[in-house]
Amino acid sequence: MNSRMTKPRVLVTGAGGFIGGHLVSSLRETAASVRAVDIKPFDSWYQRFDDVENLELDLRLRDPCMTAARGIDEVYQLACDMGGMGFIENNKALCMLSVLINTHMLEATVHHGGSKFFYASSACVYNADKQRGYDVTPLRESDAYPAMPEDGYGWEKLFSERMCRHFAEDFGLTARVARFHNVYGPHGTWDGGREKAPAAICRKVVAAVADADHRIEIWGDGKQGRSFTYIDDCVEGIRRLMDSDLSEPINLGSSETVTINDLVDLVEDVAGVRLERSYKLDAPKGVDGRSSDNTMILDRLGWAPATPLRVGIERTYHWIEEQFAARASGGRYVE
Ligand code: NAD
């Protein structure tokens, strides 16, 4: 199946998570059917839709992957045991075990005759030597080799990219791979240790305002350079990539580069406060500088993420503010 004339039956794995939840929300508008799978209990998924098939499965195991892929045309593989720097620097073995999910999902897709496979890779595949120093040179797709990715998480992502390539070559699977760069937005992890910098900084500012304690702790010296991609751009990029003929891994990230200090400035502006900063220099802080070179995506897809950071941060800050208030009053708010 899966011609552009016929609507595909799609599977989203990791659907209870941040990006997976947004992707289900988008695909249910256009797909013939959507199956959403996550290991988490359904009531803790970040977004829940009653008009799709929702399954709780552990996709590290082969049989549940077979169940998930049965009768499916297109697979969007986003399930992964991951988090921000604080998580991936301290859980390298766990991060590498996601190779089980990728391996079994690729096998199950081919076994059931699925025709297209999307894989969520990461900017963490890029060679660490290209990310030294605060002078950020945007990363081109070719900068992943010679391989020296982020230890643990990045190696697993690079290996799984490679597996997608060989499943395409050997079994005729159409595989599409996007290297996400720091995706942020509402309905993501904002506390608990797996959150990433934008959500962590928004939460710290919300807490400082709520507690009238006008101080903030920043991981590293705040001079690290980054680009942050708003969730709507991420979902649109995935969908454009799946409709394209682009078989190589591609950057899916914003090219708007800021330092962590700039990001804190922006969140403070949105909150209307100024906080006293302290820097935790021994905290996990990742590479010195990282941003997305969007030459290839512009050239091949005629499009690139364009949501200004200020716009995305305003939406994210207000969503986290609501979650924080709901939790403080004993509830769980996710709408
Ligand atoms: P997330 O943690 O919110 O979502 C991942 C989901 O996978 C979670 O809901 C988790 O429960 C699920 N999962 C974990 N192990 C599973 C298993 N064994 N079986 C079934 N489900 C399982 O993360 P996210 O931010 O939505 O990321 C989605 C994908 O994008 C991941 O592959 C991640 O590595 C990749 N990525 C994300 C970012 C980002 O900035 N968010 C950046 C680069 C790459």
Side-chain angles (χ1 to χ4, degrees):
M1 208 189 85
N2 201 21
S3 77
R4 280 168 201 237
M5 306 297 293
T6 322
K7 290 181 174 182
R9 297 162 296 179
V10 307
L11 164 67
V12 178
T13 60
F18 168 45
I19 302 171
H22 285 275
L23 192 58
V24 170
S25 173
S26 167
L27 286 166
R28 62 203 262 273
E29 307 290 338
T30 53
S33 64
V34 177
R35 181 175 295 153
V37 173
D38 205 285
I39 194 173
K40 293 190 292 203
F42 184 58
D43 65 5
S44 63
W45 292 21
Y46 292 157
Q47 297 189 70
R48 298 186 292 268
F49 302 98
D50 293 335
D51 56 350
V52 312
E53 182 187 2
N54 298 295
L55 299 177
E56 291 172 19
L57 295 171
D58 181 352
L59 299 174
R60 286 170 299 188
L61 307 173
R62 193 168 183 274
D63 285 351
C65 289
M66 288 292 172
T67 303
R70 188 171 297 127
I72 292 293
D73 303 307
E74 294 185 359
V75 173
Y76 295 79
Q77 201 323 74
L78 288 94
C80 182
D81 203 354
M82 57 89 68
M85 269 303 149
F87 181 80
I88 66 178
E89 286 198 5
N90 292 309
N91 294 277
K92 297 191 177 80
L94 269 188
C95 287
M96 295 211 80
L97 281 173
S98 290
V99 75
L100 295 172
I101 307 177
N102 293 315
T103 308
H104 291 139
M105 277 314 308
L106 278 164
E107 278 196 303
T109 304
V110 168
H111 177 85
H112 284 296
S115 53
K116 274 192 179 177
F117 190 93
F118 172 82
Y119 176 54
S121 186
S122 164
C124 288
V125 300
Y126 285 114
N127 187 309
D129 276 344
K130 308 262 181 186
Q131 304 170 77
R132 293 195 204 288
Y134 292 131
D135 241 357
V136 182
T137 307
L139 293 157
R140 288 166 301 149
E141 283 75 1
S142 56
D143 290 332
Y145 294 98
M148 199 182 26
E150 173 82 33
D151 205 0
Y153 178 71
W155 275 107
E156 194 280 320
K157 288 287 184 195
L158 195 62
F159 175 84
S160 294
E161 281 191 0
R162 208 76 193 176
M163 225 179 356
C164 288
R165 170 171 159 177
H166 296 307
F167 269 70
E169 289 167 354
D170 295 358
F171 303 127
L173 183 68
T174 297
R176 300 282 174 260
V177 177
R179 294 176 179 157
F180 297 161
H181 288 245
N182 279 314
V183 187
Y184 72 98
H187 298 282
T189 307
W190 57 279
D191 69 350
R194 288 182 186 243
E195 65 279 16
K196 299 188 164 203
I201 291 168
C202 286
R203 186 203 65 233
K204 288 178 186 181
V205 173
V206 168
V209 172
D211 300 344
D213 175 11
H214 286 187
R215 291 178 295 180
I216 185 168
E217 182 185 85
I218 296 168
W219 285 11
D221 58 13
K223 295 179 185 154
Q224 313 94 293
R226 289 289 183 279
S227 66
F228 299 100
T229 312
Y230 190 59
I231 182 64
D232 291 0
D233 287 334
C234 178
V235 170
E236 182 164 358
I238 294 170
R239 302 215 47 188
R240 285 174 180 261
L241 178 58
M242 279 297 255
D243 283 342
S244 78
D245 59 359
L246 226 167
S247 56
E248 313 99 275
I250 191 163
N251 278 332
L252 181 42
S254 166
S255 56
E256 181 183 350
T257 307
V258 294
T259 65
I260 294 295
N261 278 325
D262 295 334
L263 180 63
V264 177
D265 288 344
L266 190 52
V267 178
E268 287 177 343
D269 286 351
V270 171
V273 286
R274 284 283 165 243
L275 304 176
E276 187 188 319
R277 299 178 190 185
S278 63
Y279 294 93
K280 187 167 166 41
L281 299 179
D282 60 354
K285 69 177 186 72
V287 293
D288 294 336
R290 172 181 291 164
S291 174
S292 179
D293 181 313
N294 285 346
T295 309
M296 193 200 279
I297 195 168
L298 280 167
D299 182 41
R300 301 290 296 277
L301 302 187
W303 172 91
T307 305
L309 185 61
R310 178 171 289 273
V311 171
I313 284 294
E314 271 176 13
R315 293 179 194 156
T316 307
Y317 180 84
H318 293 307
W319 181 80
I320 291 175
E321 198 177 29
E322 287 165 356
Q323 304 305 308
F324 190 92
R327 191 176 62 184
S329 60
R332 174 179 183 260
Y333 181 83
V334 288
E335 292 309 316

